């Protein structure tokens, strides 16, 4: 009879120990997560504060057309608070179609042979068409560096 009462007490003790261990583990996870989040947040704040916004110089305010920036057309007070440069000029850039004769390796060899005086027969060539996006025309100042439109 004594053994019957002792066995459930042992099981309750083990269950309490397992629950206690699980609570300690969950508490450890919560504290670790909060610690990592705090460190990451501190790093992000330090990075953000180190960058800052540059105010435009007097020369930039004279040289740049402030009315061409959509943000400044809606919030005029920002034009003296944020340095801004117009990068692009002509958008969208044109697309040109190019047509040329396709030349195979065999035709190149035949042309080389005919240049040397050996004519081995007629060559046949086919026409190829392709399109070229003229990003080089996006800005006369900066060239075609894929300046985003809009």
């Amino acid at each position: 009879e004594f053994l019957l009462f002792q066995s459930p007490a042992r099981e309750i003790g083990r269950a309490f120990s397992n629950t206690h261990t699980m609570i300690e583990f969950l508490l450890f996870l919560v504290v670790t997560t909060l610690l990592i989040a705090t460190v990451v947040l501190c790093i992000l704040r330090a990075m953000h504060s180190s960058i800052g916004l540059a105010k435009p110089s007097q020369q930039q305010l004279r040289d740049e057309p402030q009315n061409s920036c959509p943000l400044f057309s809606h919030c005029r007070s920002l034009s003296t608070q944020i340095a801004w440069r117009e990068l692009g000029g002509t958008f969208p850039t044109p697309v040109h179609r190019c047509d040329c004769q396709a030349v195979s390796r065999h035709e190149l060899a035949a042309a080389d042979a005919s240049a040397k005086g050996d004519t081995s027969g007629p060559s046949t060539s086919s026409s190829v068409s392709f399109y070229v996006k003229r990003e080089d025309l996006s800005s006369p100042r900066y060239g075609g560096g894929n300046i985003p439109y809009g």
Side-chain angles (χ1 to χ4, degrees):
E1 212 174 314
F2 178 71
L3 291 175
L4 286 174
F5 290 111
Q6 191 176 10
S7 180
R10 242 186 241 160
E11 293 300 320
I12 290 172
R14 282 188 198 147
F16 177 74
S17 175
N18 289 340
T19 304
H20 187 66
T21 305
M22 186 170 26
I23 290 172
E24 284 179 348
F25 178 70
L26 290 176
L27 185 62
F28 170 76
L29 283 179
V30 168
V31 169
T32 305
T33 303
L34 288 175
L35 183 65
I36 291 171
T38 304
V39 169
V40 168
L41 189 60
C42 288
I43 291 171
L44 289 176
R45 281 187 182 154
M47 288 171 57
H48 180 266
S49 65
S50 71
I51 297 170
L53 290 175
K55 290 190 175 192
S57 66
Q58 291 300 320
Q59 180 182 358
Q60 184 180 1
L61 287 172
R62 281 192 311 271
D63 295 346
E64 292 294 329
Q66 301 295 317
N67 58 354
S68 64
C69 175
L71 177 64
F72 296 159
S73 66
H74 293 289
C75 301
R76 297 219 181 263
S77 62
L78 291 178
S79 66
T80 59
Q81 301 298 316
I82 301 172
W84 177 77
R85 291 280 186 195
E86 182 179 35
L87 297 178
T90 307
F91 292 107
T93 55
V95 176
H96 294 287
R97 180 183 172 152
C98 299
D99 296 315
C100 64
Q101 296 294 324
V103 179
S104 68
R105 231 181 324 156
H106 300 294
E107 291 171 328
L108 286 174
D112 189 37
S114 68
K116 293 178 183 175
D118 178 23
T119 57
S120 57
S123 66
T124 61
S125 62
S126 60
S127 177
V128 173
S129 297
F130 58 94
Y131 293 89
V132 176
K133 177 95 165 114
R134 295 294 309 271
E135 293 294 335
D136 59 319
L137 301 176
S138 64
S139 173
R141 184 180 213 177
Y142 300 109
N146 284 333
I147 301 166
Y149 172 64

